Amino acid sequence: PAQNGQNLRSPICCIMGHVDTGKTKLLDCIRGTNVQEGEAGGITQQIGATYFPAENIRERTMELKADAKLNVPGLLVIDTPGHESFTNLRSRGSGLCDIAILVVDIMHGLEPQTIESLNLLKMRNTDFIVALNKVSNLVDRLNGWKTCRNAPIRKAMNQQTKNVQDQFNGKLKQIRGQFMEQGLNTELYYKNKSMGETFSIVPTSAISGEGIPDLLLLLVQWAQRTMVKRLTYSNQVQCTVLEVKVVEGHGTTIDVVLVNGVLREGDQVVVCGLQGPIVTTIRALLTPHPMKELRVKGTYLHHKEIKAAQGIKITAQGLEHTIAGTSLHVVGPHDDLENIKEAAMED
Ligand code: GTP
Ligand code: MG
Ligand code: NA
């Protein structure tokens, strides 16, 4: 996948925002899946991960005619819950990512967990793009939003009545004002002349897909243009445990995000456990198919080895008491196991 002599890994993008702003639905729209409707109460309660190969991103952004040169192998997207009780999961997700999407419901504007997410991103200096979602809920007295399935947002906006456009502009102005109150300049992405100082807004609909091409292209192009150093692949394993789960036929497994390095079947690894360090051997490295959600039960692909960045399910013995949110360490041939056990417990 290395192009232009660069050896870049896939950027990791975290999707954050207030409950029910449409984070999971946006991912469903890109994946062509229906994860959101399978969630208890329609509420996300775990961190998810989905890998989007560059090929799919290229296809999805074709209509923008950007002649997009994608230097990254793909994009790994981390879904997080927006419900107020999951601050720890939002923090875990935002701690892992290179870039983020902050989803705002155009009818609601900034809400408490939008602001909490914003503060997590500010704290780590993480760049983000605002998805101003649910544009399809814009209506005037006579007309509703005219669906332009999966269209670039400017094309879709041009199809709307003057009244719908006026309503959009009104909401946009209001929400830019709310961001200003949080100390942030924002602007529609195609009017943004100073990305990096001014945060870009992409209007989207997760139901009919308007604005999705824009969102994907902006994300990948921004990441590969401004984060080359950060995204340059490194052999040093950097891996975080997202969730600890019992899976039928596999026992207790851990879902991890491999940020850098390679994991191999048979690797000796150390994770942080409730009762001390857990030393074990990777039995199987599993991933869902590309464009499928790691946290949803499905068929898994088996790998002898996997290179970062990826969301992976690891099966091994003795994982029962692993603490989610901590790092996984690989024991190399020249490593001192005792040192690594200590390092694992420092998390
Ligand atoms: P949590 O993960 O629980 O925080 O919610 P979420 O942000 O993932 O939102 P979710 O995808 O669960 O969507 C919440 C509700 O909004 C669902 O009923 C969706 O169908 C609806 N929804 C999401 N996006 C859109 C959109 O673009 N337009 C409209 N009309 N409805 C949407
Ligand atoms: Mg969700
Ligand atoms: Na929801």
Side-chain angles (χ1 to χ4, degrees), residues 285-330:
L285 286 167
L286 311 173
T287 64
H289 290 258
M291 312 269 281
K292 296 281 188 235
E293 172 57 83
L294 177 64
R295 74 179 147 95
V296 174
K297 241 203 247 162
T299 57
Y300 297 105
L301 301 170
H302 287 248
H303 306 260
K304 286 279 172 227
E305 61 172 59
I306 301 181
K307 197 176 161 189
Q310 260 298 355
I312 307 165
K313 181 179 284 299
I314 294 178
T315 76
Q317 244 155 24
L319 293 173
E320 289 75 16
H321 301 295
T322 310
I323 301 174
T326 59
S327 297
L328 175 141
H329 300 254
V330 175

Side-chain angles (χ1 to χ4, degrees), residues 53-111:
E55 234 172 84
N56 295 85
I57 296 172
R58 195 172 293 118
E59 205 173 287
R60 200 62 184 263
T61 55
M62 208 111 81
E63 217 190 322
L64 282 170
K65 294 205 173 78
D67 212 14
K69 209 187 204 113
L70 303 184
N71 299 332
V72 291
L75 184 68
L76 183 67
V77 181
I78 309 289
D79 192 10
T80 67
H83 190 277
E84 58 178 338
S85 58
F86 297 115
T87 304
N88 62 327
L89 298 185
R90 281 187 288 283
S91 174
R92 190 177 304 161
S94 67
L96 274 172
C97 67
D98 303 301
I99 190 166
I101 301 171
L102 182 65
V103 186
V104 174
D105 183 327
I106 193 167
M107 308 309 277
H108 295 175
L110 271 60
E111 299 178 271

